[in-house]
Amino acid sequence: MTGTDTLKARNAIEAVWRIESARVIAGVARMVRDLGQAEELAQDALVAALEQWPQSGVPSNPGAWLMSTAKRRAIDMLRRKENLDRKHQELGHTQSTETDAADAGLAPDEVRDDMLRLIFTTCHPVLSAESRVALTLKLVGGLSTAEIARAYLVGESTLAQRIVRAKKTLSTSNVPFEVPAGAELAERLGSVLEVIYLIFNEGYSATAGDDWVRPALCEDALRLGRIMAALAPDFAEVHGLTALMEIQASRIRARVGPDGAPVLLLDQDRGRWDQLLIRRGLTELAIAERLGPRGPYTLQAALAACHARARTPEETDWERIAELYAELAALTPSPVIELNRAVALGMARGPAAGLELVDKLLTEPALKNYHLLPSVRADLLMKLGRGEEARAEFLRAAQLTANERERALLLERAESCLAVRA
Amino acid sequence: MRFMVIVKATPEQEASGGAMPSAEDLELMGKFNEELVRAGVMLAGEGLLPSAKGAKVSFDHGKTTVTDGPFTEAKELIAGFWLLQTRSMEETVEWAKRIPFQEGEVEIRQISELEDFEPVMTPEIAEREQRLRDQLSGN
């Protein structure tokens, strides 16, 4: 076999791994009840594949091969353990169904349950947000440590340590490999969705590195969201989050100009919006709304959908946007949401309506030093022809912002107010 | 990354006049598609009617010619496609190998995407500017 052939075989095996690893880890974790051990056993199966497949060829059902190899090793390991007797009973029970499932290639509901257990465990609140993200990408997304390290611009050893620590924490905290039930389920589902959206946002407006967007991370998050939507189809917010990500991702091509500078929503070339993703997002949103009630992700998806449905900025249904912000504010009260609602109201019903709401926010302590409050207020005042007041507000906003480019823009607008007065 | 997995037409498919595949084939294909959905990789997928129900529009420096199907060069015809989002060509190949076909051929092509942007702003500036401009969007 030539070097190129070996490399090709390796790549093919890695591709199989990407597809199968989560299911294999989840299936083994159910037996050994320890995520770290399950991953090691699954990795052993991968090593065996790397040794054997280049010679023997890739088996016709590589997923089942990996699964049964990993499970055989799990059984060996469990047999060696001292508490053989107790485990033996469980094992005798699981073993028969396992092997059948592996032979049949798939036992959808069993696989679904295993996958859910896996996701709930990697997103367990006992872990820090960054650990949850890393562990989920690794064990559920099937990414390598190197790939995750590259995506998050941290050293590979740092990331490897983070993952080791996370698995240790799960083990020492005795986190059960289970799907939570009852009241805990809603909270834990929230953690899963949060992790997925964190990954998406890191790709959508990167906080690290030079790139403004990193589409690959958005795609990984979308894939996780779509997997969750298939695994837990009865939960509105799962579809809400997927809808939100699909619609936001539909704009990725349009939100960066040829020079790499961000292009803002209302300035984007809507012809570059990805209609396939919009359609997928609107379908997911419809499912979320049918299941109801509308949670924060579904509401944000509905907001994104208002823009996605408008063929031109002028067609935007600002009245609806204002309503949705009101619903969102009722659910998660925030003066920033109120400020957004004021902007939408100003667009829908004229600047006076927007200003009325903005003025109510003037005493809001959380917005005291928030430069967008005076800048929104200034904009509305200017539209009302109150140039002098608008100018003062733009100057105040310019004072509050920490960003030079923004300050320059605000000062420029302050100057333009003088023309309104004259 | 996105890939189009193109299903090549066979003479039988072309000759079928758009007859439905067998229930068994449909069942297998349904299962496969469900797998793709569960794995979060399937964006779209459609089957096409035979070329007898198609048309061609050819261009010649401003002049267009319309030709109705069927078309004879069956080898170049397509019978359907999947649009998959995966992390690599290798992964797409692995998925394609699992298509429940007994015979025939699929072709895998990567969809070109605008992925490499030259950064000129720091994300912090960009984010702030985005927020500001979003707020001022009424201009």
Side-chain angles (χ1 to χ4, degrees), chain A residues 145-163:
Chain A
T145 305
E147 284 171 322
I148 306 168
R150 244 193 333 269
Y152 281 84
L153 305 162
V154 296
E156 205 176 320
S157 61
T158 308
L159 200 104
Q161 279 165 21
R162 190 178 295 168
I163 288 173

Side-chain angles (χ1 to χ4, degrees), chain A residues 173-368:
Chain A
S173 317
N174 284 318
V175 168
F177 189 67
E178 278 170 15
V179 175
E184 203 198 344
L185 178 61
E187 183 198 328
R188 294 279 302 280
L189 189 64
S191 176
V192 171
L193 300 183
E194 185 193 354
V195 167
I196 296 175
Y197 199 42
L198 272 174
I199 296 168
F200 183 85
N201 270 328
E202 184 59 30
Y204 201 61
S205 34
T207 56
D210 293 334
D211 294 330
W212 157 238
V213 282
R214 290 209 294 274
L217 265 182
C218 290
E219 289 180 9
D220 288 326
L222 263 165
R223 184 159 171 172
L224 291 169
R226 292 170 190 149
I227 289 172
M228 269 312 277
L231 288 173
D234 300 335
F235 295 91
E237 281 286 86
V238 175
H239 296 283
L241 172 62
T242 309
L244 175 61
M245 294 191 297
E246 299 270 14
I247 298 174
Q248 286 187 320
S250 77
R251 301 181 196 137
I252 284 180
R253 282 186 298 205
R255 68 199 280 279
V256 181
D259 55 355
V263 182
L264 303 153
L265 185 62
L266 294 179
D267 298 333
Q268 287 172 10
D269 173 1
R270 292 179 186 224
R272 296 185 63 80
W273 287 2
D274 189 321
Q275 293 302 320
L276 176 65
L277 294 186
I278 287 176
R279 205 175 65 223
R280 292 178 58 89
L282 294 178
T283 306
E284 285 292 315
L285 176 60
I287 298 171
E289 292 189 321
R290 182 164 47 75
L291 290 167
R294 281 199 290 231
Y297 291 117
T298 307
L299 283 168
Q300 290 176 76
L303 280 161
C306 285
H307 295 293
R309 287 194 186 103
R311 275 169 304 174
T312 63
E314 293 72 32
E315 279 181 36
T316 311
D317 187 350
W318 291 105
E319 193 72 53
R320 174 103 185 103
I321 290 177
E323 279 167 27
L324 289 166
Y325 273 126
E327 212 177 317
L328 189 59
L331 215 56
T332 55
S334 143
V336 175
I337 295 174
E338 282 297 285
L339 191 59
N340 276 300
R341 185 162 78 90
V343 173
L345 272 182
M347 297 293 284
R349 300 182 199 168
L355 189 63
E356 198 186 322
L357 182 54
V358 171
D359 283 349
K360 285 185 192 149
L361 297 171
L362 288 174
T363 52
E364 185 60 58
L367 297 182
K368 197 169 157 245

Side-chain angles (χ1 to χ4, degrees), chain A residues 20 23 106 206 210 219-220 223 226 259-260 262 264 266-267 274 280 343 347 376 379 406 413, chain B residues 1-2 35 42-43 85 87 91 98 118-121 123 126-128 130 133 135-139:
Chain A
E20 304 294 346
R23 285 196 285 212
L106 257 188
D210 293 334
E219 289 180 9
D220 288 326
R223 184 159 171 172
R226 292 170 190 149
D259 55 355
L264 303 153
L266 294 179
D267 298 333
D274 189 321
R280 292 178 58 89
V343 173
M347 297 293 284
V376 166
D379 188 58
E406 209 172 278
R413 298 204 65 198
Chain B
M1 304 173 195
R2 293 201 247 195
E35 269 294 283
M42 176 149 160
L43 290 179
Q85 191 157 48
R87 285 201 128 240
E91 190 194 341
R98 301 177 182 201
E118 279 303 314
V120 295
M121 295 175 97
E127 181 69 37
R128 267 195 220 102
Q130 166 105 14
R133 298 276 300 271
Q135 293 292 341
L136 303 179
S137 54
N139 299 330

Side-chain angles (χ1 to χ4, degrees), chain A residues 3-43:
Chain A
T4 334
D5 284 345
T6 317
L7 187 68
K8 271 184 100 168
R10 261 195 93 94
N11 287 342
I13 294 166
E14 274 165 21
V16 171
W17 181 249
R18 161 141 301 139
I19 296 171
E20 304 294 346
S21 62
R23 285 196 285 212
V24 176
I25 293 167
V28 175
R30 173 154 46 91
M31 297 172 70
V32 302
R33 304 272 155 194
D34 183 286
L35 207 52
Q37 273 178 357
E39 194 200 5
E40 274 169 34
L41 290 161
Q43 290 275 5

